[in-house]
Amino acid sequence: MIKIVVLISGNGTNLQTIINQINTGEINAEIAAVISNRANAYGLERARKAGIATEVLEHGDFASREAFDQSLAKLIDRYQPDLVALAGFMRILSDAFVLHYHNKLLNIHPSLLPKYRGLNTHQRALEAGDKQHGASVHFVIPELDAGTVIIHGVVPVMADDTVETLAHRVHCIEHIIYPKAIKWLAESDLKFENDRLTLHGKALTEPVKVYLPAHLEL
Ligand code: GAR
């Protein structure tokens, strides 16, 4: 069984879906700890309710990004995770941190990468008139939101969408694709070796595409 440390900054709905799927036995993994850079992140409450260890490391208490990241890595490493999953962790990570977790650091990002790295992805998709938008589960490399993508979760953009309605739809697909990618990794169905992804033993040359089920398209 793999051990996961989840890093959050906020609500933690992605964390919740991972917790739920572990609890139902869908994902064969254990969350060893949930770590937040904000003491008031609601995701911490979700973790406590699930009986998971929580830690808070406030970035404001550190003089530099590097100092924060070093302490964060020390804290994470106490739990000896096989996988570190960023789930709404709103911090840019230093190169040293990212390289320390080479091939073990996973992120969910609210766009169809390589489109819209960084912030305000829903707004940018609406402004561009995109017909499709979504989320990506990807390995993290030092360049922001640029690592190998495992899954694209694709949602339609509706004519009357606002940032809020579109964000809601993207969240729905995130809750499908993040647990799926973690399940694949936990069961060694998915491997990332020498910068090559294989799924069920076959090379994955482009992200797996998962579409939102019609009943969630509201
Ligand atoms: C998610 O939409 C995730 O894609 C995004 O934060 C949200 C967290 O929601 N992450 C990023 O923007 C990272 N750059 P949650 O706290 O409800 O899981």
Side-chain angles (χ1 to χ4, degrees):
M1 185 189 298
I2 68 161
K3 248 204 253 183
I4 308 172
V5 166
V6 182
L7 305 190
I8 60 163
S9 300
N11 190 353
T13 63
N14 279 285
L15 165 69
Q16 188 70 58
T17 61
I18 299 163
I19 292 173
N20 294 349
Q21 294 207 16
I22 289 176
N23 286 346
T24 60
E26 185 64 22
I27 299 177
N28 185 23
E30 174 205 349
I31 300 179
V34 170
I35 303 176
S36 174
N37 64 318
R38 295 184 197 279
N40 63 356
Y42 183 66
L44 290 168
E45 193 55 36
R46 297 178 188 274
R48 285 185 206 111
K49 280 192 188 136
I52 298 168
T54 59
E55 308 269 7
V56 175
L57 197 67
E58 302 245 29
H59 57 269
D61 294 344
F62 292 83
S64 67
R65 183 176 302 284
E66 286 68 26
F68 172 75
D69 284 4
Q70 268 178 24
S71 290
L72 180 60
K74 255 194 199 155
L75 192 55
I76 294 170
D77 288 350
R78 266 196 233 148
Y79 293 94
Q80 301 190 301
D82 304 292
L83 184 69
V84 178
L86 309 177
F89 188 62
M90 303 308 282
R91 297 269 314 161
I92 290 179
L93 295 162
S94 58
D95 291 5
F97 181 93
V98 172
L99 295 173
H100 182 67
Y101 296 106
H102 186 58
N103 291 358
K104 290 213 278 192
L105 190 55
L106 213 55
N107 183 38
I108 183 137
H109 179 79
S111 77
L112 297 172
L113 291 171
K115 272 193 163 179
Y116 313 132
R117 295 173 183 171
L119 298 174
N120 304 320
T121 57
H122 311 309
Q123 179 78 43
R124 288 153 75 196
L126 285 175
E127 279 168 8
D130 291 354
K131 296 281 175 278
Q132 287 190 325
H133 182 47
S136 307
V137 179
H138 67 97
F139 285 100
V140 178
I141 61 170
E143 193 184 340
L144 184 67
D145 299 328
T148 301
V149 177
I150 302 168
I151 309 183
H152 271 159
V154 184
V155 306
V157 180
M158 310 296 191
D160 57 352
D161 263 336
T162 61
V163 167
E164 288 71 29
T165 58
L166 186 55
H168 174 73
R169 203 172 303 118
V170 170
H171 252 119
C172 291
I173 197 77
E174 290 187 345
H175 298 162
I176 296 172
I177 64 175
Y178 211 7
K180 188 188 269 299
I182 290 174
K183 178 181 167 70
W184 284 341
L185 284 166
E187 292 171 3
S188 297
D189 289 336
L190 182 77
K191 293 198 175 121
F192 191 47
E193 290 158 342
N194 306 320
D195 290 329
R196 275 187 68 243
L197 267 182
T198 53
L199 181 63
H200 301 123
K202 279 195 191 151
L204 204 60
T205 50
E206 54 182 53
V208 173
K209 278 195 167 38
V210 173
Y211 293 88
L212 195 67
H215 70 277
L216 293 176
E217 271 188 12
L218 297 175

